[in-house]
Amino acid sequence: MEKGQEIAASDGEKGPEQHAIDVGHAEHGDGKGEDIEKERVAVAEDVQKKKSRRVAALDAFRGLTIVLMILVDDAGGAYERIDHSPWNGCTLADFVLPFFLFIVGVAIAFALKRVPNIGAAVKKITIRTLKMLFWGVLLQGGYSHAPDDLSYGVDMKKIRWMGILQRIALVYFIVALIEAFTVKVRPTTVRSGPYAIFNAYRWQWLGGFIAFVIYMVTTFSLYVPDWSFVYHNDGDINDGKQFTVKCGVRASLEQACNAVGYVDRQVWGINHLYTQPVWIRSKDCTSSSPNMGPLRADAPAWCLAPFEPEGLLSSISSVLSGTIGIHYGHVLIHFKTHKERLKHWLLMGFSLLVVAIILHFTNAIPINKQLYSFSYVCFTGGAAGIVLSAFYILIDVWGLRTPFLFLEWIGMNAMLVFVLGAQGILAAFVNGWYYESEDNNLVNWIVKHVFVNVWHSQRLGTLLYVIFCEIVFWGVAAGVLHKLGIYWKL
């Protein structure tokens, strides 16, 4: 592909990941049959050209995000340094969710580029949001115990209301509604100038700024009183004990007394929060940090407390990740050359990284996934922009598409791979066909005899299993589904 060639992704083929709102073609007026036939041929040729200009980097980026989720979820237990950071800091796992939100924002820019009927658009946005909320509660609310536990069902007194898909649904709903309602004030072209694109979509940035203000004001002004909880873990020495956490502070960014956790305890109730927070791997809780290990003798009470990593207040902050994503989508729509797009993307990406690093290392606002801090938004948003730019250069500018095809295929069927792969539903189905005991199943046999015993290492064997039997498998499966034209979208 020649340098400077235009790639009009917004006008290209609609893929399942774009979630576009389809609009019927306008009817032809009266005319001669020959003219109509010529017009149809011209339209068909134009569509074919536009299909060839599809931006493959977007699918590859989404596929990479799914692959990272599978890797850190299923190999993070063996290599805990790639698992979520116990508190401040950022590991490989901490990039997954903001990358999802970023690419959701990019997709919204294309899906809602034209909104001929605002009422219909709002209806579709609402229905899709409700579908994501349903699947989120079903998969992460406690009903599904896949893949290791073959039982299903959840005690409604302990159901977890928030989760990954719920956060994505909230961000999608807010960002998409702003995009739909501002269709009449959006420009068809953007004037030249470094800030013109920001001014053209100022309402989207205003929405992000409001979310930022709500989060910051609440985080640094809300009073957090003492609180207590009852620890539940069958067979544990502390099972059934009640613990009290001393707070009585404002503006705390530490584990025990932050406003993010307080809001979730008040809104959802302490019994509806995530019961295995990663902070149990922090230095205050175990000498094995950042790995899992026995509790220290002087471990504070909050080490055993529940905490919602996809909580309400932190989800409000995550709207900014979607806002950054939709901005990158707007750039792709309005900037017509590789140079213009990459210059803007990379400048913004590195600027966000610099802001995040300054905030983190001055200890003003540490990078923290659990709190979804502003520095975390900037750090992951900047990283997402740089990764997308790298994919864009490699795939769409230089034409190195073949090595990344498996990521494209996974990205085109992201929801299916997320549910069946990342959430372990297919593995649970396979595990359901066991011999004598539930542990004696095909998945465990492959892990033990094909990988662990061969490499004489539980850690390396687990990693290789995840790479070859999960990531490679889903890459091939998604490719077959793509060839068959089978996609699952909400």
Side-chain angles (χ1 to χ4, degrees):
M1 189 175 292
E2 296 180 2
K3 186 175 181 181
Q5 179 183 349
E6 176 186 347
I7 299 181
S10 56
D11 294 327
E13 177 190 10
K14 287 182 181 179
E17 75 289 355
Q18 288 180 284
H19 316 301
I21 297 176
D22 295 323
V23 181
H25 295 291
E27 294 184 2
H28 295 290
D30 293 334
K32 296 181 180 180
E34 184 178 352
D35 292 337
I36 294 175
E37 184 61 29
K38 287 181 179 179
E39 183 178 349
R40 286 175 178 170
V41 172
V43 169
E45 291 176 351
D46 186 55
V47 169
Q48 187 61 37
K49 290 179 182 178
K50 288 174 179 177
K51 283 184 179 182
S52 66
R53 293 200 301 264
R54 178 184 181 86
V55 177
L58 302 181
D59 293 322
F61 183 95
R62 187 180 293 103
L64 173 68
T65 305
I66 293 289
V67 166
L68 286 180
M69 172 173 277
I70 294 174
L71 177 66
V72 299
D73 280 355
D74 296 343
Y79 294 87
E80 290 178 319
R81 290 185 180 276
I82 69 172
D83 201 351
H84 292 292
S85 173
W87 197 242
N88 292 336
C90 190
T91 64
L92 189 62
D94 295 322
F95 287 104
V96 173
L97 186 50
F99 274 28
F100 266 126
L101 300 177
F102 173 87
I103 202 63
V104 164
V106 176
I108 291 172
F110 293 133
L112 299 178
K113 181 184 177 184
R114 299 179 182 88
V115 185
N117 188 322
I118 294 179
V122 171
K123 180 180 178 181
K124 289 189 176 184
I125 291 169
T126 303
I127 291 175
R128 185 162 183 266
T129 300
L130 292 175
K131 287 180 179 179
M132 282 193 284
L133 289 173
F134 167 77
W135 280 103
V137 173
L138 183 68
L139 293 171
Q140 295 193 309
Y143 181 83
S144 171
H145 306 156
D148 299 322
D149 191 339
L150 300 181
S151 64
Y152 292 89
V154 60
D155 182 353
M156 291 301 293
K157 290 183 178 180
K158 299 178 181 179
I159 189 172
R160 181 188 176 200
W161 293 115
M162 296 298 286
I164 294 173
L165 278 178
Q166 295 93 310
R167 172 167 284 179
I168 295 175
L170 176 65
V171 172
Y172 168 79
F173 185 71
I174 294 174
V175 175
L177 281 184
I178 295 174
E179 188 78 354
F181 281 122
T182 59
V183 63
K184 293 183 179 180
V185 298
R186 272 191 260 148
T188 54
T189 58
V190 174
R191 301 190 307 272
S192 60
Y195 307 109
I197 188 75
F198 294 96
N199 182 62
Y201 290 95
R202 56 189 176 276
W203 292 105
Q204 285 75 1
W205 283 106
L206 178 61
F209 179 73
I210 291 173
F212 166 76
V213 170
I214 292 173
Y215 173 81
M216 294 296 285
V217 170
T218 305
T219 297
F220 288 99
S221 66
L222 187 64
Y223 176 78
V224 180
D226 299 346
W227 54 284
S228 60
F229 67 96
V230 177
Y231 180 67
H232 297 287
N233 187 3
D234 293 339
D236 192 278
I237 190 173
N238 293 307
D239 183 39
K241 290 184 180 180
Q242 179 169 320
F243 297 89
T244 299
V245 180
K246 297 293 183 179
C247 289
V249 297
R250 301 179 194 272
S252 173
L253 298 179
E254 298 302 321
Q255 294 94 325
C257 304
N258 59 78
V260 171
Y262 177 65
V263 168
D264 289 323
R265 292 192 294 271
Q266 296 301 115
V267 174
W268 311 118
I270 198 166
N271 292 328
H272 298 282
L273 307 182
Y274 187 57
T275 58
Q276 299 173 320
V278 294
W279 66 27
I280 199 170
R281 294 191 284 109
S282 63
K283 292 180 180 180
D284 291 328
C285 299
T286 177
S287 300
S288 302
S289 180
N291 299 321
M292 186 68 97
L295 283 177
R296 298 166 58 105
D298 59 346
W302 54 259
C303 289
L304 299 175
F307 180 83
E308 183 51 69
E310 278 78 47
L312 181 60
L313 184 58
S314 54
S315 291
I316 293 175
S317 175
S318 68
V319 171
L320 279 168
S321 293
T323 303
I324 294 171
I326 200 170
H327 177 75
Y328 272 70
H330 291 151
V331 170
L332 192 54
I333 289 172
H334 290 287
F335 292 11
K336 299 305 181 182
T337 66
H338 298 322
K339 182 178 179 180
E340 288 179 310
R341 291 168 176 172
L342 290 168
K343 180 180 178 181
H344 189 95
W345 282 352
L346 290 172
L347 179 61
M348 185 173 182
F350 282 110
S351 297
L352 288 171
L353 286 181
V354 170
V355 170
I357 291 171
I358 292 174
L359 289 174
H360 180 75
F361 286 101
T362 59
N363 209 33
I365 303 178
I367 295 173
N368 190 296
K369 187 267 180 188
Q370 310 303 314
L371 300 179
Y372 220 99
S373 63
F374 179 63
S375 56
Y376 174 72
V377 171
C378 293
F379 190 72
T380 55
I386 293 171
V387 171
L388 178 61
S389 299
F391 272 142
Y392 184 78
I393 293 171
L394 292 171
I395 300 173
D396 295 294
V397 179
W398 293 351
L400 300 176
R401 192 171 182 178
T402 302
F404 305 100
L405 274 177
F406 80 103
L407 293 179
E408 285 187 51
W409 295 334
I410 292 175
M412 290 177 180
N413 242 323
M415 185 62 188
L416 184 144
V417 180
F418 173 82
V419 173
L420 297 184
Q423 296 301 305
I425 300 302
L426 180 61
F429 173 79
V430 175
N431 289 346
W433 306 87
Y434 58 86
Y435 185 75
E436 292 184 346
S437 69
E438 292 184 5
D439 291 334
N440 191 20
N441 55 60
L442 179 61
V443 171
N444 288 343
W445 188 91
I446 292 175
V447 172
K448 180 179 179 180
H449 295 283
V450 178
F451 293 98
V452 175
N453 288 353
V454 171
W455 293 95
H456 304 287
S457 170
Q458 183 69 39
R459 298 180 73 207
L460 181 58
T462 300
L463 177 62
L464 292 175
Y465 169 80
V466 172
I467 292 174
F468 291 102
C469 292
E470 294 190 29
I471 295 174
V472 172
F473 169 81
W474 283 113
V476 173
V480 172
L481 293 174
H482 171 62
K483 296 299 181 183
L484 297 175
I486 299 174
Y487 307 98
W488 180 17
K489 59 178 180 177
L490 293 179

